Amino acid sequence: MIKHIRKSSIAFALVSSLALFSACGIDNTDENTVSGANEFVDAVIIDDINTSVMLQVVRGSIDENATNAFGYKAVKITYNTTNQNDEAVVASGLLVIPTASPEYQAYRAAMGQSPFSVSMICENHITNFEDIEAPSNVEVPSGLPENSTAVLMSGYAGFAAVIPDYIGYGSSKDTPHPYMLKEASARDSLDMVKASIYYMEQSGVALNYQLYISGYSQGGYTAMALAQEVEENFDSVNLMGVAPMAGPYDLEALADIEIDASNTMIYPAFLGYLADSYAYYNDEISLSDVVLEEDTQMYHNLFLGSNNNIAIHTSLGLTENYGFGTYTADALFKTTLIDDYKNSINTGGVFREALVENSTDDWVPQAKMNLIHCDEDEIIPFSIAQDTYSSMVDNGAENITLTSIPTDVIAPATESAPLVHQRCGSTAYGAAVQWFAAIRNGDL
């Protein structure tokens, strides 16, 4: 099913309070327990926001007519996982647990409903270049919530938000990030889910073991990889819905556009990060055979969490218009790599094989899935989502939806956010959480 979002249905303020607050899913607490003791390392409470504070935040930023909101506890979780080379890593992430007010619990009792129980969303975030942007670093003790995703998912909608920092950030900042590498991405997020469940079980949180998965851009890619891993190898939760947003699911198709000397790179730092990650974690790919920069150690260091995208572009000599939408691929990649990639030979052939191997579009999801994408996205073309949807349907997927978001319903362009891909995120998340709430409420 292909769905088009209209302006009336995408704003956070228009997510139905009844859908969000009246149902919390089937309670499977007695049936499902998850052994996450091996993954869990430690937990540190960052913030504990009460319901009255959150109600004012929700009224001010999401829904001025809201009559209820959840408080939440923000916790930094550290956990055991492994990187792309199966080396042990202690990673971290942000867990945000909703807390229901006594009034809401009394309302549920008066309506003959069971006590509030918690469903989870594993939220996989966009590409971060700087460690300071890691979710567990962004959420700081302040008495007020600063993580807008947590506010939407936990404070307003009442889901526990499980948000990995990703390997390479937070507690694992000394380990290079496995950027767009399927196995490590899925495993990292799943280990965060396991550790979070263990912590909530030990803390007496009433879980119903419903899991929803979301993510935008790189997070959409990771959401897709995680969903496949959960369906194939983790049956201790009920996977209720998956909403990948603006993700590069078919990496080869995207690279066919980007690794071409005749095409302009909209966002070179993304491609540069991909090249560094694939060279670092693949013995058959040498960075010196891929990129123009002769000082490959300097190049690698650019992607270790200390530089933003503009600093990366500047260091690589991509200075015009701060490096955005100005240079063709041969300003970043060696022409031999570009030619070899087209012909699938030498390093270019290995690079292509790695992209195919790490793409996340070649499987058939069983759970409900909603591919959400802005139809004028310049960085990840809408055709990537459209082709992924068509391929999955052709292969037998029955519970999949493609939702397109037109540009006229998202925030207008600004000097700091000129790209549709940048501006579509908040609208996409509103649609995703609305969709999750409808599933939880039994409306879908």
Side-chain angles (χ1 to χ4, degrees):
M1 177 175 66
I2 299 178
K3 182 169 66 174
H4 301 277
I5 288 199
R6 296 187 177 89
K7 185 173 290 189
S8 61
S9 66
I10 49 79
F12 292 169
L14 298 181
V15 180
S16 166
S17 295
L18 180 62
L20 293 175
F21 295 130
S22 66
C24 294
I26 299 172
D27 189 348
N28 295 311
T29 305
D30 294 334
E31 298 178 14
N32 294 31
T33 56
V34 176
S35 177
N38 291 333
E39 287 77 23
F40 179 79
V41 174
D42 194 18
V44 176
I45 296 174
I46 302 173
D47 251 340
D48 196 346
I49 311 297
N50 66 42
T51 54
S52 61
V53 170
M54 278 308 306
L55 181 58
Q56 295 308 310
V57 172
V58 167
R59 285 175 174 170
S61 60
I62 298 176
D63 182 357
E64 64 181 10
N65 299 313
T67 59
N68 187 42
F70 293 91
Y72 74 66
K73 183 179 292 185
V75 184
K76 180 176 182 176
I77 299 288
T78 49
Y79 59 96
N80 293 313
T81 188
T82 53
N83 67 12
Q84 186 71 10
N85 293 337
D86 292 325
E87 298 165 333
V89 176
V90 176
S92 59
L94 179 67
L95 170 64
V96 186
I97 308 167
T99 55
S101 67
E103 293 79 8
Y104 179 59
Q105 293 284 29
Y107 165 78
R108 290 184 63 83
M111 297 297 290
Q113 298 174 355
S114 61
F116 170 71
S117 64
V118 174
S119 303
M120 297 167 285
I121 298 176
C122 183
E123 155 56 17
N124 301 277
H125 63 74
I126 63 174
T127 298
N128 290 337
F129 294 101
E130 295 181 280
D131 180 57
I132 59 173
E133 298 177 319
S136 68
N137 290 334
V138 171
E139 187 76 27
V140 295
S142 62
L144 287 173
E146 296 194 10
N147 188 306
S148 59
T149 304
V151 171
L152 174 64
M153 293 180 174
S154 298
Y156 185 53
F159 291 92
V162 180
I163 314 176
D165 289 334
Y166 296 159
I167 293 172
Y169 299 92
S171 296
S172 61
K173 64 182 180 180
D174 293 331
T175 302
H177 174 54
Y179 188 60
M180 300 294 181
L181 290 169
K182 178 180 178 180
E183 183 178 336
S185 298
R187 184 168 55 225
D188 178 21
S189 290
L190 181 54
D191 287 340
M192 170 73 179
V193 170
K194 292 177 181 178
S196 297
I197 291 175
Y198 178 81
Y199 172 79
M200 287 188 282
E201 288 175 342
Q202 297 302 304
S203 302
V205 175
L207 292 171
N208 57 40
Y209 296 91
Q210 290 187 351
L211 177 65
Y212 301 79
I213 298 174
S214 66
Y216 189 85
S217 194
Q218 178 189 358
Y221 168 90
T222 303
M224 189 75 85
L226 173 61
Q228 183 176 4
E229 180 68 17
V230 168
E231 288 202 341
E232 295 179 356
N233 296 306
F234 188 61
D235 60 3
S236 296
V237 294
N238 299 319
L239 183 57
M240 304 295 292
V242 184
M245 297 172 279
Y249 319 113
D250 186 344
L251 292 171
E252 182 187 26
L254 186 61
D256 286 346
I257 299 170
E258 298 288 348
I259 305 179
D260 188 324
S262 63
N263 290 335
T264 299
M265 298 179 291
I266 302 297
Y267 208 131
F270 284 154
L271 297 174
Y273 206 174
L274 184 69
D276 181 69
S277 173
Y278 277 43
Y280 184 85
Y281 284 107
N282 190 323
D283 292 338
E284 296 184 75
I285 300 175
S286 172
L287 195 56
S288 61
D289 291 335
V290 175
V291 298
L292 280 177
E293 175 57 53
E294 293 183 0
D295 187 348
T296 55
Q297 186 59 55
M298 181 279 288
Y299 183 101
H300 175 65
N301 291 343
L302 291 174
F303 299 97
L304 294 182
S306 298
N307 300 284
N308 63 21
N309 47 26
I310 293 176
I312 291 169
H313 290 166
T314 300
S315 296
L316 296 175
L318 308 176
T319 56
E320 186 177 346
N321 194 33
Y322 303 104
F324 299 100
T326 306
Y327 298 90
T328 52
D330 55 358
L332 178 63
F333 296 111
K334 288 189 171 180
T335 54
T336 51
L337 182 280
I338 295 172
D339 293 340
D340 286 354
Y341 178 81
K342 287 181 180 179
N343 297 309
S344 298
I345 60 174
N346 303 323
T347 300
V350 176
F351 201 79
R352 182 183 290 276
E353 289 173 5
L355 293 169
V356 172
E357 180 181 337
N358 286 285
S359 291
T360 60
D361 61 330
D362 188 20
W363 64 292
V364 181
Q366 302 303 309
K368 292 181 177 68
M369 179 176 286
N370 189 357
L371 293 165
I372 301 173
H373 212 110
C374 259
D375 56 17
E376 293 184 344
D377 192 321
E378 317 92 330
I379 295 177
I380 314 294
F382 180 74
S383 60
I384 296 290
Q386 196 166 36
D387 290 346
T388 297
Y389 168 81
S390 298
S391 176
M392 288 182 167
V393 169
D394 290 344
N395 289 333
E398 297 180 350
N399 297 309
I400 187 168
T401 300
L402 174 62
T403 298
S404 66
I405 301 177
T407 304
D408 64 357
V409 303
I410 68 174
T414 65
E415 184 177 355
S416 61
L419 302 176
V420 170
H421 187 80
Q422 295 171 290
R423 295 180 281 119
C424 185
S426 60
T427 300
Y429 273 108
V433 173
Q434 182 181 23
W435 185 69
F436 288 158
I439 295 173
R440 185 181 58 180
N441 197 39
D443 296 333
L444 291 177

